[in-house]
Amino acid sequence: MEKKYIGVGVIGLGVVAGQVSKVLCEREEFLSAQLGFPLKLKKVKVLPQDMTRPLAKSLPEGVLTTDEDDFFNTPGLDIVVEAIGGEYPAFNLLSRGLKMGKCVVTSNKEVIAKHAPELVKLAKDNNVGLRCEASVGGGIPLISPFQYDLAANHIKGIYAIINGTTNYILTRMAKEGLDFATALKQAQSLGYAEANPSNDIEGTDAVYKLAIMASINFQCVVKPEDIYREGISRLTSRDFCYADELGFNIKLLAITKPGNGQIEARVHPVFLPKDDWLAKVDGVFNAVLVEGDLVGPVLFQGQGAGALATSSAVVADVLAAAQDIHLGVGNRMRWNMDKPLGIKPMSDILTRYYLRMTVTDSPGVLALIAKVLGDHSISISSVIQKETDEKNLTAEIVIMTHPAKEAFVQQALVKLGGLDKVKEINNFVRVGI
Amino acid sequence: MEKKYIGVGVIGLGVVAGQVSKVLCEREEFLSAQLGFPLKLKKVKVLPQDMTRPLAKSLPEGVLTTDEDDFFNTPGLDIVVEAIGGEYPAFNLLSRGLKMGKCVVTSNKEVIAKHAPELVKLAKDNNVGLRCEASVGGGIPLISPFQYDLAANHIKGIYAIINGTTNYILTRMAKEGLDFATALKQAQSLGYAEANPSNDIEGTDAVYKLAIMASINFQCVVKPEDIYREGISRLTSRDFCYADELGFNIKLLAITKPGNGQIEARVHPVFLPKDDWLAKVDGVFNAVLVEGDLVGPVLFQGQGAGALATSSAVVADVLAAAQDIHLGVGNRMRWNMDKPLGIKPMSDILTRYYLRMTVTDSPGVLALIAKVLGDHSISISSVIQKETDEKNLTAEIVIMTHPAKEAFVQQALVKLGGLDKVKEINNFVRVGI
């Protein structure tokens, strides 16, 4: 006998999970009409303290439970949505769902970034779907295009503004000349940054998302801890002034590209020419630029966070899972991790660099610096020496290099920092993608 | 016994079809590895004159045929790719494939725009897939996100730069002050515009793509001939000067949005504020902005044409079709056309307008014009009167209106055109989305 409906269970009642339950209830008819069969919210697993929340009270009677066994044993539960975030207990809950043969949908970047190999294997072994569209870029379609729509391509690179908080802060610094601390406070007061913002501003959030994107596109295991990570807190308003003068915007990018049996995977600020697509993406938005060898550059841009946008992706995954179940399809993921690609050490990266340093305002200092760079095979593309502090007898020098090897640049910076005439290496930012 | 491979047939050996056959041959191993089973190019249907082309000679022996029956009766042919373009014989070929129970993939916007209802019905009746990702926006994922990834949303509007030729011409006019004819010639010499460019510059190409996007998103029948269409050939360098001065770029947009049991569907030039995402899209690229009530704005941007980019979408469709066949899935399209939504008459559209006219340089003329507009319930937002031609005693007046009803504006323009003091209505462009 054919099943009369597809049943969905949601774990959590937080910002995202609550919104997902709300959409599933309020749009039951709309969603079911698209599928051609009924889709029903059957159960919501909450914490005891959630029971009194207004949203809890607005859900249909009998839907709420605080008991995990009760939740998983709900009759007619086909799809489990996990939207509680964090590594544990999310990993155990997802694993339990998959082992029970349920389709699983998650918006949780951390658990996917850290446990994709185990979870994908569990999904394949149990022939059920595992979907995580909302784990990267909120509501922007990314995971699905990567797995399906761009599958004919050899991917040449992914360049992503994948954290809205940092892009908001960088935009305010660029447009209004704010310093980092003021821009961060602005972001916090608008709800774009958390009280403890370190996950965002230090790039950890972006690392998780990059690990997922790199793993899907290059079909290999990518561990978050192997990804180079540098946040935005070292950027100052002076760097933005020079960037502007030189024709660049500064963005925090997550970058991954293949080459020579390895992949690059790194998160750090980048000077981008103002005409680049990603340089034009302002405010709290995310944008992911994918370069395929057939399709060329494709940009996906939108809201990378927020309950509504994220629920859009989660519910789309629920619809896809429901349709597969209805069609008798188990697992049809195209996410293999069997390519033995290691991550290229950061020291081997080749890129251009922006260097800013404070030097004593005395003859021969530029020649000295140029010699150190030359000794490290670093060729100078342009130099600005403009601000002289007459009181302290110091000047500021900004150097743009031609492409150079990261290891050599780091060695040169150590050497430069040790020179008497170099008072301070103020900053160092990679240039271009 | 399980089938040993999924077989593909391609109709045509033109720019797109030839590239598709090439990718299917050259990447057989790469594509098969993604699917987990072999995918094979079995047959290519060509015209007799194609047989001597270099590409024809490079294809595996026995693959080419000039005979339609021979093509369709090829043993092991599961998927038919049509990439010859145009309404006929494409419609008959697609119909024949569907009736024979074959999955069908097409890059042909015209046949889908004109025959979606029949073709979708045939696909559903025969329980086979019909895929047309490449028919809109070349390699940019659009059809698939519309059907699946954004399915939880009520779509509030789609705003698309969906023709690369016209966007290239408009970009050159904006950036270099070229007139239309010169920019068109430049586009032709670069291969971005055809010798007979009317399908592009008059908006016909954009109308086909809009019909497809509107039909999928609003689940209704949208006939291309019901879509309002206005091309770019009336735009002059003076309009671009004023646009720039007023803070706008000019783009040819395909627009569709729902409201009051109808949908708007129209293609025409639009003044866009320079900060709008679409206003920043320069050159030969396409960009589609979708507004969902959950996801908010999402932008998809990339190459909307070209053999390589288009083959990316076609081969992705072939992969999806192959995976479905392998999984025993017939039709899983989410493209219903059962909503009885008519297209809102253009006269009912409400938007802002830019009006440019040449008047006699005499007292009271602005008052006269303002009165005519006021009499038609059109409120003025700003006026520029700046260029005076002292020899001809004429001046140029540019008016930006507040939102007004198209019908009233058209009536007012007729009235204004009849005034002695108005020498010419030079142009008229809608403003904003």
Side-chain angles (χ1 to χ4, degrees):
Chain A
M1 201 187 81
E2 206 185 334
K3 210 163 162 296
K4 290 209 181 61
Y5 61 84
I6 303 288
V8 186
V10 176
I11 303 174
L13 202 70
V15 175
V16 172
Q19 180 62 36
V20 168
S21 290
K22 204 160 169 266
V23 171
L24 289 171
C25 281
E26 290 176 357
R27 300 195 177 181
E28 188 181 309
E29 205 176 325
F30 171 68
L31 300 174
S32 300
Q34 288 196 51
L35 291 170
F37 55 83
L39 183 75
K40 274 194 190 308
L41 178 67
K42 294 291 291 177
K43 216 72 184 174
V44 177
K45 159 81 177 68
V46 297
L47 299 171
Q49 60 265 38
D50 289 331
M51 294 295 280
T52 54
R53 293 173 59 179
L55 179 58
K57 291 180 181 164
S58 76
L59 291 173
E61 217 178 302
V63 157
L64 292 178
T65 180
T66 57
D67 185 83
E68 193 186 309
D69 291 334
D70 183 35
F71 174 81
F72 278 105
N73 294 321
T74 303
L77 194 77
D78 304 288
I79 300 169
V80 170
V81 177
E82 178 272 313
I84 55 174
E87 187 175 3
Y88 298 102
F91 175 68
N92 311 76
L93 294 165
L94 292 172
S95 301
R96 181 171 180 179
L98 292 168
K99 284 178 189 161
M100 290 178 75
K102 300 191 184 301
C103 277
V104 157
V105 173
T106 178
S107 60
N108 183 335
K109 57 193 170 266
E110 187 175 349
V111 76
I112 293 292
K114 292 183 176 170
H115 295 285
E118 303 104 293
L119 291 170
V120 169
K121 185 173 185 312
L122 268 180
K124 291 188 176 177
D125 287 349
N126 290 281
N127 194 25
V128 288
L130 164 64
R131 292 168 192 277
C132 58
E133 182 60 68
S135 66
V136 183
I140 310 168
L142 289 168
I143 305 293
S144 175
F146 290 160
Q147 284 191 66
Y148 303 104
D149 302 306
L150 303 177
N153 291 266
H154 296 298
I155 300 299
K156 292 158 72 178
I158 299 173
Y159 312 93
I161 295 172
I162 201 66
N163 180 276
T165 306
T166 44
N167 203 50
Y168 178 83
I169 292 171
L170 296 179
T171 302
R172 293 279 71 77
M173 290 177 79
K175 303 248 166 183
E176 289 157 34
L178 301 184
D179 61 23
F180 172 75
T182 311
L184 170 60
K185 261 184 214 133
Q186 226 183 66
Q188 286 171 321
S189 73
L190 288 164
Y192 295 153
E194 294 177 40
N196 178 352
S198 70
N199 251 8
D200 292 319
I201 63 174
E202 296 309 340
T204 309
D205 174 84
V207 159
Y208 291 148
K209 295 165 178 168
L210 183 63
I212 298 170
M213 293 195 288
S215 175
I216 294 178
N217 278 285
F218 301 121
Q219 306 273 311
C220 59
V221 175
V222 180
K223 292 183 187 157
E225 63 266 30
D226 292 340
I227 294 178
Y228 178 81
R229 174 175 62 79
E230 195 183 301
I232 63 167
S233 54
R234 279 194 307 111
L235 296 169
T236 68
S237 55
R238 293 200 67 76
D239 297 315
F240 281 90
C241 287
Y242 284 113
D244 186 55
E245 187 180 334
L246 293 160
F248 293 89
N249 285 342
I250 308 179
K251 296 293 179 187
L252 180 70
L253 291 193
I255 297 175
T256 183
K257 47 184 168 178
N260 294 327
Q262 294 180 312
I263 61 167
E264 293 184 23
R266 46 194 169 101
V267 171
H268 54 71
V270 175
F271 270 47
L272 282 179
K274 283 183 183 177
D275 260 359
D276 278 14
W277 290 359
L278 290 173
K280 299 179 189 174
V281 177
D282 285 332
V284 78
F285 292 99
N286 282 194
V288 177
L289 177 67
V290 186
E291 280 260 359
D293 68 335
L294 299 175
V295 76
V298 183
L299 185 78
F300 300 87
Q301 182 173 336
Q303 291 176 27
L308 285 173
T310 308
S311 76
S312 168
V314 172
V315 177
D317 274 353
V318 169
L319 291 171
Q323 190 171 27
D324 273 356
I325 294 168
H326 187 75
L327 292 167
V329 171
N331 185 290
R332 63 173 173 95
M333 295 180 82
R334 298 213 208 122
W335 188 351
N336 300 309
M337 280 167 265
D338 51 4
K339 295 243 172 78
L341 299 172
I343 292 184
K344 185 187 260 194
M346 197 60 193
S347 51
D348 290 350
I349 296 292
L350 199 76
T351 177
R352 297 175 62 205
Y353 297 82
Y354 152 95
L355 317 174
R356 179 166 65 85
M357 58 195 92
T358 304
V359 300
T360 58
D361 190 16
S362 61
V365 63
L366 187 57
L368 207 59
I369 291 169
K371 181 168 185 325
V372 170
L373 294 176
D375 288 347
H376 290 82
S377 310
I378 300 159
S379 162
I380 293 174
S381 148
S382 65
V383 176
I384 302 179
Q385 176 174 347
K386 152 184 212 180
E387 301 284 334
T388 303
D389 183 333
E390 293 189 359
K391 208 172 101 200
N392 293 320
L393 294 174
T394 60
E396 193 170 47
I397 290 185
V398 167
I399 292 175
M400 302 291 281
T401 77
H402 285 296
K405 201 172 152 183
E406 174 91 10
F408 296 158
V409 175
Q410 295 298 347
Q411 287 158 18
L413 286 174
V414 171
K415 189 91 176 197
L416 289 172
L419 295 178
D420 276 351
K421 294 194 169 180
V422 173
K423 293 296 167 200
E424 193 186 348
I425 306 288
N426 303 101
N427 218 340
F428 154 90
V429 183
R430 295 168 194 88
V431 178
I433 55 176
Chain B
M1 204 189 77
E2 206 185 330
K3 208 162 162 303
K4 291 207 181 63
Y5 62 85
I6 302 290
V8 186
V10 176
I11 303 174
L13 201 69
V15 176
V16 172
Q19 180 61 37
V20 169
S21 290
K22 203 160 170 270
V23 171
L24 289 171
C25 282
E26 290 176 357
R27 301 196 177 181
E28 188 182 309
E29 204 176 326
F30 170 70
L31 301 173
S32 299
Q34 287 196 53
L35 291 170
F37 54 84
L39 183 75
K40 276 195 188 307
L41 178 68
K42 293 293 289 178
K43 216 74 187 173
V44 177
K45 158 82 177 72
V46 296
L47 298 172
Q49 60 266 37
D50 289 330
M51 293 296 278
T52 54
R53 294 172 59 180
L55 179 59
K57 291 180 182 166
S58 76
L59 291 173
E61 216 179 303
V63 157
L64 292 177
T65 180
T66 57
D67 185 82
E68 193 185 311
D69 291 336
D70 183 37
F71 175 82
F72 278 104
N73 294 323
T74 303
L77 193 79
D78 304 289
I79 300 169
V80 171
V81 177
E82 178 274 309
I84 55 174
E87 187 175 5
Y88 297 103
F91 175 69
N92 311 76
L93 294 165
L94 292 172
S95 301
R96 181 168 178 183
L98 293 169
K99 284 179 191 161
M100 290 177 76
K102 302 194 184 299
C103 277
V104 157
V105 173
T106 177
S107 60
N108 184 334
K109 57 195 171 265
E110 186 174 350
V111 77
I112 294 292
K114 291 184 176 169
H115 295 285
E118 301 105 293
L119 292 171
V120 169
K121 186 173 184 309
L122 267 180
K124 292 189 176 176
D125 288 350
N126 290 281
N127 193 28
V128 287
L130 165 63
R131 293 170 193 275
C132 58
E133 182 60 69
S135 66
V136 183
I140 310 166
L142 289 168
I143 305 293
S144 175
F146 290 160
Q147 285 190 65
Y148 303 104
D149 303 305
L150 304 176
N153 291 268
H154 296 298
I155 301 299
K156 292 157 74 180
I158 298 173
Y159 312 94
I161 295 172
I162 201 65
N163 180 276
T165 307
T166 45
N167 203 52
Y168 178 83
I169 292 170
L170 297 178
T171 302
R172 294 278 72 78
M173 292 178 78
K175 303 250 165 179
E176 290 158 32
L178 301 184
D179 61 23
F180 172 74
T182 310
L184 170 59
K185 258 182 218 138
Q186 226 183 66
Q188 285 171 321
S189 73
L190 287 164
Y192 294 155
E194 295 176 39
N196 177 353
S198 70
N199 251 10
D200 291 318
I201 64 175
E202 296 309 340
T204 308
D205 173 84
V207 159
Y208 290 148
K209 295 165 178 170
L210 183 62
I212 297 170
M213 294 194 287
S215 175
I216 294 178
N217 278 284
F218 301 122
Q219 306 272 311
C220 60
V221 175
V222 179
K223 292 184 187 158
E225 62 265 31
D226 292 341
I227 293 178
Y228 177 80
R229 176 175 61 79
E230 197 182 301
I232 62 167
S233 53
R234 280 195 306 110
L235 295 170
T236 69
S237 54
R238 293 201 68 75
D239 297 314
F240 281 90
C241 288
Y242 283 113
D244 186 56
E245 186 178 336
L246 292 159
F248 293 89
N249 285 344
I250 309 178
K251 295 293 179 188
L252 181 70
L253 291 193
I255 297 175
T256 183
K257 46 185 168 176
N260 294 324
Q262 292 181 314
I263 61 167
E264 293 184 21
R266 48 194 168 98
V267 171
H268 54 70
V270 176
F271 270 47
L272 282 179
K274 284 184 184 178
D275 260 359
D276 278 15
W277 290 357
L278 290 173
K280 298 180 191 175
V281 178
D282 285 333
V284 77
F285 291 99
N286 282 194
V288 177
L289 177 67
V290 186
E291 281 262 356
D293 67 337
L294 299 174
V295 76
V298 183
L299 186 76
F300 301 86
Q301 182 174 334
Q303 291 177 27
L308 285 173
T310 307
S311 76
S312 168
V314 172
V315 176
D317 275 354
V318 169
L319 290 172
Q323 190 171 28
D324 273 356
I325 293 168
H326 186 75
L327 292 167
V329 170
N331 185 289
R332 63 174 173 93
M333 295 180 83
R334 299 215 207 118
W335 187 352
N336 300 308
M337 280 167 264
D338 52 2
K339 296 244 172 76
L341 299 171
I343 292 184
K344 186 187 259 194
M346 198 60 195
S347 52
D348 289 351
I349 297 293
L350 201 75
T351 179
R352 297 175 62 206
Y353 298 83
Y354 152 94
L355 316 175
R356 179 165 66 85
M357 58 195 91
T358 305
V359 300
T360 58
D361 191 16
S362 61
V365 63
L366 187 57
L368 205 60
I369 290 167
K371 183 172 183 322
V372 171
L373 294 176
D375 288 348
H376 289 84
S377 310
I378 301 158
S379 164
I380 293 174
S381 149
S382 67
V383 176
I384 302 179
Q385 176 174 348
K386 156 183 208 180
E387 301 284 336
T388 303
D389 181 334
E390 292 189 358
K391 205 173 100 197
N392 293 320
L393 294 174
T394 60
E396 193 169 46
I397 291 184
V398 167
I399 293 175
M400 301 291 281
T401 77
H402 285 295
K405 200 174 151 179
E406 173 92 9
F408 297 160
V409 175
Q410 294 298 348
Q411 288 158 19
L413 286 175
V414 171
K415 189 91 178 198
L416 288 172
L419 293 178
D420 277 352
K421 295 196 169 181
V422 174
K423 293 296 165 202
E424 193 185 349
I425 307 288
N426 303 99
N427 218 340
F428 153 90
V429 183
R430 296 166 193 89
V431 178
I433 55 176

